[in-house]
C-alpha cells in the first residue's frame, strides 16, 4: 500500500521518538502482547501523545482518516497499529460515521490481544454503540461468527467498556447471544474475552452473570469460571489461594 502524506508523517514521528534505527522483535514485550510485527518500542504514553498531537494539529476529512488508518493498520510495525487505535479514540465524530465493514478490515489484520483490544476496548464507548444500535447489533453478531479469531474476540471486547458505562438491556442481550456462540471455543484469545465480558457485566447485571455462570459450568472455559467467580465474590479478578466455592 502506498503511503500517503499523513502516514508518512506518523512514521516520521515514530522514528523521531524511538531510540532504535529500525523496528525489531527484541524483548519479551512483543511476545507477551502476541503481535507478529516488529516494533520501534515506543512506550504507551509516547504513542498516545503522537496520536493526540496529530489529531489536534490536523483537520482531516472522513475519507482522509480512512486512508491514513488503512495504511497504519496494514503497516509494518506494532507501533503503527496502536497509534491508529489511539487516533480513532480521539475522534468521536469519525467513530460515529465509521462503517462496520471498515472496522472488520482493520481488526482482521491485528494479531494478539493488544492490537485488538486497544481499538475495541479503549476507542469505542457506549454512546458509539447505542446511538446506532441497529447497525452495531448486527455487526457484533456477525463478528461472533467470523472465521478470524481476532474478529471473534472483538465481538466480545467491543462490549466491555460499554458495560462499565451503561446498564442498557440491549447490551446484555447481544453479549449473551455471542457468549452462546463462543463459550466452548478453546483459543486463549476467546477464553479470556469470555471471562472479560462476563466480569464487565457484573457492575449492572450481577444476578444475571451469577445465573449464567451456574447454568454453564460445564461449557464455559475454566479460566472464565475462576475469574468470574472471584469477581462475583471478592470484586477482584484474581482468586486467593483457597478455592472459591461459589453458591448463587
Amino acid at each position: 500500500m502506498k503511503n500517503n502524506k499523513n502516514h508518512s508523517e506518523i512514521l516520521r514521528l515514530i522514528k523521531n521518538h524511538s531510540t532504535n534505527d529500525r523496528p525489531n522483535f527484541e524483548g519479551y514485550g512483543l511476545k507477551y502482547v502476541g503481535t507478529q510485527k516488529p516494533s520501534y518500542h515506543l512506550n504507551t504514553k509516547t504513542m498516545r501523545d503522537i496520536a493526540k498531537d496529530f489529531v489536534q494539529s490536523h483537520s482531516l476529512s472522513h475519507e482522509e482518516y480512512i486512508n491514513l488508518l488503512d495504511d497504519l493498520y496494514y503497516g509494518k510495525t506494532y507501533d503503527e497499529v496502536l497509534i491508529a487505535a489511539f487516533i480513532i479514540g480521539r475522534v468521536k465524530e469519525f467513530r460515529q460515521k465509521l462503517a462496520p465493514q471498515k472496522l472488520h478490515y482493520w481488526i482482521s489484520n491485528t494479531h494478539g490481544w493488544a492490537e485488538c483490544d486497544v481499538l475495541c476496548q479503549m476507542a469505542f464507548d457506549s454512546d458509539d454503540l447505542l446511538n446506532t444500535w441497529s447497525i452495531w447489533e448486527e455487526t457484533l453478531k456477525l463478528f461472533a461468527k467470523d472465521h478470524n479469531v481476532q474478529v471473534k474476540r472483538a465481538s466480545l471486547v467491543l462490549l466491555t467498556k460499554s458495560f462499565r458505562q451503561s446498564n442498557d438491556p440491549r447490551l446484555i442481550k447481544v453479549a449473551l447471544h455471542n457468549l452462546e456462540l463462543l463459550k466452548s471455543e478453546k483459543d486463549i484469545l476467546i477464553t479470556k474475552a469470555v471471562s472479560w465480558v462476563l466480569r464487565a457485566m457484573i457492575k449492572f447485571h450481577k444476578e444475571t452473570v451469577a445465573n449464567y455462570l451456574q447454568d454453564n459450568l460445564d461449557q464455559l472455559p475454566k479460566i472464565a469460571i475462576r475469574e468470574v467467580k472471584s469477581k462475583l465474590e471478592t470484586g477482584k479478578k484474581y482468586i486467593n489461594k483457597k478455592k472459591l466455592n461459589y453458591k448463587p
Side-chain angles (χ1 to χ4, degrees):
M1 184 177 294
K2 184 177 180 180
N3 294 345
N4 62 47
K5 64 178 182 180
N6 293 312
H7 184 209
S8 296
E9 181 174 349
I10 295 292
L11 290 174
R12 178 180 59 79
L13 291 170
I14 291 172
K15 293 175 183 178
N16 286 348
H17 284 85
S18 177
T19 58
N20 297 289
D21 292 334
R22 55 179 56 87
N24 60 61
F25 289 98
E26 293 178 3
Y28 173 74
L30 295 186
K31 182 178 180 181
Y32 172 68
V33 300
T35 185
Q36 296 179 8
K37 304 175 183 69
S39 175
Y40 280 98
H41 300 282
L42 302 185
N43 61 44
T44 301
K45 182 181 183 304
T46 298
M47 290 188 283
R48 285 183 183 276
D49 287 345
I50 288 174
K52 176 183 177 181
D53 293 344
F54 182 87
V55 170
Q56 290 180 343
S57 61
H58 294 71
S59 180
L60 302 188
S61 67
H62 188 83
E63 183 178 358
E64 287 173 324
Y65 269 122
I66 290 291
N67 292 336
L68 169 60
L69 293 164
D70 281 350
D71 279 356
L72 291 173
Y73 272 105
Y74 282 78
K76 296 180 179 180
T77 69
Y78 174 71
D79 315 82
E80 291 170 79
V81 174
L82 265 63
I83 289 171
F86 291 140
I87 289 173
I88 294 169
R90 299 199 67 86
V91 191
K92 191 172 186 66
E93 61 272 22
F94 173 79
R95 298 196 305 272
Q96 293 177 338
K97 297 178 181 178
L98 182 62
Q101 295 86 351
K102 184 55 67 173
L103 183 61
H104 182 281
Y105 177 65
W106 296 333
I107 296 171
S108 295
N109 199 48
T110 61
H111 301 94
W113 61 266
E115 291 185 15
C116 177
D117 297 358
V118 173
L119 172 61
C120 296
Q121 190 272 332
M122 297 179 69
F124 291 88
D125 60 28
S126 58
D127 286 342
D128 296 330
L129 273 61
L130 294 171
N131 286 345
T132 52
W133 181 247
S134 60
I135 295 173
W136 275 104
E137 180 180 24
E138 180 182 5
T139 297
L140 291 165
K141 289 180 177 179
L142 287 174
F143 278 15
K145 295 187 290 185
D146 200 85
H147 70 280
N148 186 314
V149 68
Q150 299 287 131
V151 179
K152 288 181 180 179
R153 180 179 174 88
S155 75
L156 298 176
V157 175
L158 277 161
L159 291 161
T160 54
K161 187 175 184 179
S162 292
F163 275 127
R164 297 199 303 272
Q165 298 174 329
S166 173
N167 64 352
D168 193 298
R170 293 174 292 178
L171 296 171
I172 196 165
K173 184 177 179 181
V174 77
L176 291 173
H177 175 275
N178 288 356
L179 283 167
E180 284 301 297
L181 295 175
L182 299 173
K183 64 185 179 183
S184 298
E185 297 223 2
K186 305 302 181 185
D187 193 300
I188 191 171
L189 286 172
I190 304 302
T191 60
K192 291 290 288 184
V194 167
S195 173
W196 193 3
V197 76
L198 283 168
R199 286 182 280 113
M201 288 161 58
I202 289 174
K203 180 177 181 179
F204 293 114
H205 307 282
K206 186 173 183 178
E207 184 176 355
T208 298
V209 173
N211 290 335
Y212 185 82
L213 187 68
Q214 188 63 34
D215 292 342
N216 291 275
L217 289 175
D218 295 333
Q219 300 177 65
L220 285 167
K222 291 181 180 180
I223 191 170
I225 294 171
R226 292 195 304 269
E227 292 179 349
V228 176
K229 279 184 177 182
S230 177
K231 184 73 173 181
L232 285 165
E233 289 195 1
T234 70
K236 298 180 180 180
K237 169 183 174 180
Y238 298 105
I239 62 174
N240 296 323
K241 291 182 179 179
K242 294 182 179 180
K243 185 178 180 181
L244 291 171
N245 295 310
Y246 174 68
K247 296 180 180 179

